[in-house]
Amino acid sequence: YGPYHFPEKLIPVCILNTLLSKSVPIYGDGSNVRDWLFVEDHAEALIIVLEKGIIGSTYNIGGENEYSNIELVNLICKILDRIKPKSSGKYADLITFVEDRPGHDQRYAIDTSRIRNELGWNPSVTILEGLEKTIKWYIDNQTWWEKPRGYAQANFTHLRKLNENNELVLGGSFMKDQGYRFGSNDQR
């Protein structure tokens, strides 16, 4: 997670919906647990693996920040209450529970001991630091996530399409307007 996180994912949906006073959907009871890794820590770990890793070895990269979805959303709401208070009420008042997805994994977790022990890497950004950086980035970069005529859909389905192989690809004029290039030699 972090700046430029695709807007249909949990953290951006929560941030954007709260900023726009829209409901924040949580699947099921929100007890699904994920290990949250800040993007800068992830990039640093990848560089260390490239520089110091043993060819053929597998290194699991994790944030060592396991939180349930509801815990995470409540943290986001508390940070927003502090840095951008609503005129009335709390951001957590926007949380709504929706039917869980069929087959939704209850927990994602990995063992990061190899990268920690063999390469000496540990995540350096706490969940609170990473969430605050991410929230501030979304507040400061509204033009990145808002369509010119307004934020139309919380799930950004208008940015997704499938190619001839039925694979998900980024698309739409919004993505091109944001500087995304579509071609085999120049994708980001």
Side-chain angles (χ1 to χ4, degrees), residues 1-109:
Y1 72 96
Y4 297 99
H5 196 166
F6 195 65
E8 74 172 2
K9 299 300 183 182
L10 176 63
I11 291 174
V13 164
C14 178
I15 295 168
L16 300 179
N17 281 16
T18 53
L19 291 174
L20 297 168
S21 296
K22 294 180 178 235
S23 67
V24 178
I26 302 291
Y27 284 123
D29 63 3
S31 64
N32 305 70
V33 176
R34 304 290 180 258
D35 179 20
W36 299 96
L37 175 63
F38 189 63
V39 65
E40 292 172 6
D41 276 339
H42 194 188
E44 178 186 270
L46 291 171
I47 291 168
I48 288 173
V49 168
L50 287 171
E51 292 175 348
K52 297 181 180 179
I54 298 169
I55 293 175
S57 291
T58 300
Y59 299 93
N60 294 326
I61 302 168
E64 299 177 9
N65 285 306
E66 286 191 20
Y67 286 86
S68 68
N69 289 347
I70 191 64
E71 290 173 320
L72 183 80
V73 169
N74 277 312
L75 283 174
I76 292 169
C77 290
K78 286 178 184 173
I79 293 168
L80 277 162
D81 285 335
R82 182 174 47 78
I83 65 175
K84 191 172 176 64
K86 288 177 65 169
S87 57
S88 65
K90 302 282 185 192
Y91 286 105
D93 298 338
L94 297 169
I95 295 171
T96 58
F97 294 91
V98 298
E99 186 176 337
D100 206 352
R101 295 186 335 233
H104 197 185
D105 293 319
Q106 185 59 35
R107 180 172 183 248
Y108 294 157

Side-chain angles (χ1 to χ4, degrees), residues 13 26 49 70-71 97 109 112 122 126 151 156 166 170 172 176:
V13 164
I26 302 291
V49 168
I70 191 64
E71 290 173 320
F97 294 91
T112 62
N122 288 296
T126 68
Y151 179 76
F156 281 71
N166 209 31
L170 298 176
K176 290 178 185 170

Side-chain angles (χ1 to χ4, degrees), residues 108-129:
Y108 294 157
I110 58 174
D111 177 3
T112 62
S113 60
R114 175 175 276 167
I115 193 169
R116 214 176 336 103
N117 297 335
E118 291 182 17
L119 305 183
W121 181 84
N122 288 296
S124 62
V125 178
T126 68
I127 192 75
L128 291 175
E129 293 167 338

